Amino acid sequence: MAPERRLVCGAAAGITSVVCTYPLDIVRTRLSIQSASFAALSEASTKQLPGMWKTMKEMYRNEGGILALYRGIVPTVAGVAPYVGLNFMTYESVRQYLTPTGQENPSNIRKLAAGAISGAVAQTCTYPFDVLRRRFQINTMSGLGYQYKSIGDAIKTIVAQEGVRGLYKGIIPNLLKVAPSMASSWLSFELTRDFFVGLNAADP
């Protein structure tokens, strides 16, 4: 398959996964920062923070219905589609490059390297969208400062207040997580695929 087709297939897979799971993602983000918000801190000693379902119900009831559960999905899709697409395309290209001449497959170590490189490249290229996603997911929470009006407003405000580096805030720990994560994911995929292909080949 040509690299550009891998890019399109990966992008389509990424968009599908985001649309299906985004409400859970936004609730996870809310829960992870809820105890750190100024409002929550002032009540933490007397009031138990809400759980997943309660947070989802409150967002639905108080923040605009089903649209509240998909707030920030535009920058998320804008980031995830090229992220997954680049991941697919880069992995296959690097995997092919690392395959020794005359062999069909590289070693497991080289597959791990290809997975780590593909994850790092894709994450670096699309990280500003991840920053925007997280900012928009908490955009309506009280006590968290400036509230962005649009994607353009968010980018303009972040760059004005934090510089271009603000769009890449947290990228180092993110890369330290993504590179080994994608390396192990791609190797697991390869080993599982080879296992089932071997089973099919063994069937009479």
Side-chain angles (χ1 to χ4, degrees):
M1 184 181 291
E4 58 272 14
R5 291 191 176 184
R6 294 192 188 107
L7 182 65
V8 172
C9 290
I15 292 171
T16 302
S17 67
V18 166
V19 171
C20 293
T21 64
Y22 193 77
L24 295 175
D25 186 51
I26 192 171
V27 169
R28 176 183 63 86
T29 300
R30 289 290 186 96
L31 290 175
S32 69
I33 58 93
Q34 212 158 29
S35 60
S37 70
F38 299 129
L41 280 174
S42 64
E43 302 172 1
S45 60
T46 60
K47 183 179 178 181
Q48 184 178 4
L49 295 175
M52 181 183 75
W53 295 113
K54 187 174 180 180
T55 298
M56 190 177 290
K57 286 169 61 178
E58 288 181 354
M59 288 179 63
Y60 181 87
R61 185 167 56 245
N62 301 325
E63 299 182 26
I66 193 67
L67 293 179
L69 298 176
Y70 283 90
R71 182 175 291 112
I73 193 172
V74 173
T76 302
V77 168
V80 168
Y83 170 78
V84 180
L86 283 170
N87 204 336
F88 272 67
M89 185 180 71
T90 305
Y91 177 76
E92 291 296 338
S93 298
V94 175
R95 183 185 185 281
Q96 186 176 6
Y97 177 79
L98 294 178
T99 302
T101 303
Q103 297 185 21
E104 291 185 4
N105 296 301
S107 65
N108 288 340
I109 295 297
R110 295 189 177 195
K111 290 175 183 176
L112 282 172
I117 292 170
S118 68
V121 168
Q123 184 68 73
T124 301
C125 292
T126 62
Y127 191 75
F129 291 106
D130 194 49
V131 171
L132 291 173
R133 172 183 65 84
R134 284 182 274 114
R135 298 287 181 99
F136 272 97
Q137 285 180 341
I138 62 173
N139 197 39
T140 58
M141 293 184 70
S142 61
L144 294 178
Y146 189 86
Q147 294 187 339
Y148 307 114
K149 300 178 180 67
S150 65
I151 295 176
D153 178 55
I155 295 173
K156 181 180 177 180
T157 303
I158 292 171
V159 172
Q161 295 181 353
E162 306 170 41
V164 176
R165 289 185 178 182
L167 296 173
Y168 286 90
K169 186 173 291 183
I171 191 172
I172 299 300
N174 208 268
L175 287 175
L176 293 176
K177 180 196 76 170
V178 167
S181 173
M182 292 311 306
S184 60
S185 294
W186 277 113
L187 180 60
S188 298
F189 165 77
E190 293 262 11
L191 294 176
T192 305
R193 183 193 61 187
D194 292 345
F195 173 75
F196 284 110
V197 168
L199 287 181
N200 289 334
D203 288 339

